[in-house]
Amino acid sequence: MSVDRAETLDCLRDLIKTPSINPDLNPQEGGNEAAVARYAVEWLRGHGITAWTEEVTPGRPNLVAELGGPGPVGLVLAGHLDTVGVVGMTVPPFEPTLEGTRVYGRGAYDMKGGVAAFMEAAAVLGRRGSLSGKVRLALLMDEEYRSLGADHYVAHHPEGTACIIAEPTELAVVPVHKGFQWVEVITHGRQAHGSLWEVGESAIAKMGPVIQALDVFDRTVLRTRTYPGLSAESLHAAVIEGGRGISTYAVECRLEVERRTLPGEDPSAVYEELASLVREAAPDADVRLLFQRFPLQTPEDSRLVRTLVSAGERHLSEPLTLRGAPHWADTAVFSQAGIPAVEFGCRGEGAHAEVEWVDLDSVLAVAAMAVDTAEALDREPVQGSL
Ligand SMILES: [Zn+2]
């Protein structure tokens, strides 16, 4: 009753065959996560596991599954159902092929390989019937765009002592990653005919010192602030718009700034620091926090990480490595909701690229290690924080 190679490969192939392009990212390509969620529900039910969908936005569901005994929820195995688009791909996106141990297709690596691994792990745990508490499977929509699926899941299912998200990490455990803040700056001018310099004032010219101040701050201050395993803090002027025509003084200029944050930074201090720089450079500018996501900071000596490392000793030829990730991921949503989380997933290549493949052996290893970790955490439920 261990991981079944043929069963896992079949499942992975079916997942790739069922397109699930995020419609907000690529509206022109059509479709969404519904069909692949339906497939996964049927597959899990066919393996005796209670599974259902939960609609997050019209027609776009999460999939939740649960198995085990009457005890509380232990490990949550999570992944995302959506993929990026397929325009420009040079391998067939939805006709998976197996070459050696590589399975090709859109989403194979990011992250239907990880989803297949966790579905197989659920099937194995179901067959064994070894759990006294519960294991949940959370297969989420919209990770590639706004993470609405993760937000919806933790709002409705805050239970769980630990979470693994099978983002493709090359079989490394990622316990820390960065967060981000999106900030809007608006400067105001005075609209006038382009010939009337006595009246007109350009909002765009007023934005100049703001951009300059932020750029200097980025290069001289933020790059000196670091965190183990991660690159330095940073910000950049990402989007700018303003002006109505070449013969008119610009009445408004709008800038969007992205600031990438490190674990341990106080989010309100991060915002205030940026806002005060802007106000110094342009005293009458409006500054507003548009959106933010927090960094991930799961301790390396946490029970979850230690359990995964010891599972690695049984299933991998090399010791499991730990590393930080520069990007933001759904892991932080779980962590913020009180479920300590790490990323841990397959080997391969080509997330968001023309050629995408996942290494089948790594899919099987992730499945086996998820089974081991679920059972270990179930045997010795975590006391207090991980
Ligand atoms: Zn992903």
Side-chain angles (χ1 to χ4, degrees), residues 217-227 232-234 262:
F217 177 68
D218 174 45
R219 284 182 285 108
T220 59
V221 179
L222 293 185
R223 304 290 175 81
T224 65
R225 299 186 192 160
T226 56
Y227 185 90
E233 294 172 16
S234 63
L262 289 177

Side-chain angles (χ1 to χ4, degrees), residues 127-288:
R127 285 195 285 267
R128 288 194 192 176
S130 54
L131 299 170
S132 57
K134 292 178 181 60
V135 164
R136 282 231 181 96
L137 200 56
L139 302 181
L140 310 169
M141 49 78 79
D142 191 47
E143 188 274 345
E144 299 286 2
Y145 190 57
R146 279 173 300 178
S147 288
L148 296 176
D151 285 338
H152 186 276
Y153 176 84
V154 298
H156 293 82
H157 306 284
E159 312 84 14
T161 54
C163 170
I164 306 172
I165 299 191
E167 286 288 354
T169 63
E170 309 297 311
L171 296 175
V173 175
V174 176
V176 293
H177 65 61
K178 290 186 174 183
F180 64 87
Q181 278 189 359
W182 290 344
V183 176
E184 178 190 68
V185 179
I186 295 176
T187 50
H188 304 279
R190 203 160 43 235
Q191 188 164 332
H193 187 274
S195 65
L196 300 177
W197 60 267
E198 305 91 328
V199 184
E201 193 177 24
S202 168
I204 295 171
K206 281 186 171 179
M207 193 62 90
V210 174
I211 294 169
Q212 177 70 7
L214 292 175
D215 193 49
V216 169
F217 177 68
D218 174 45
R219 284 182 285 108
T220 59
V221 179
L222 293 185
R223 304 290 175 81
T224 65
R225 299 186 192 160
T226 56
Y227 185 90
L230 294 172
S231 58
E233 294 172 16
S234 63
L235 68 74
H236 62 108
V239 176
I240 190 164
E241 55 191 16
R244 291 178 180 162
I246 197 162
S247 283
T248 306
Y249 273 82
V251 70
E252 187 176 285
C253 181
R254 190 175 162 279
L255 176 72
E256 289 177 3
V257 179
E258 183 183 62
R259 164 80 151 81
R260 293 281 169 165
T261 58
L262 289 177
E265 285 197 280
D266 170 13
S268 56
V270 166
Y271 171 73
E272 265 317 310
E273 183 178 55
L274 199 156
S276 70
L277 272 169
V278 170
R279 289 193 199 104
E280 221 169 275
D284 65 345
D286 300 329
V287 193
R288 188 163 70 101

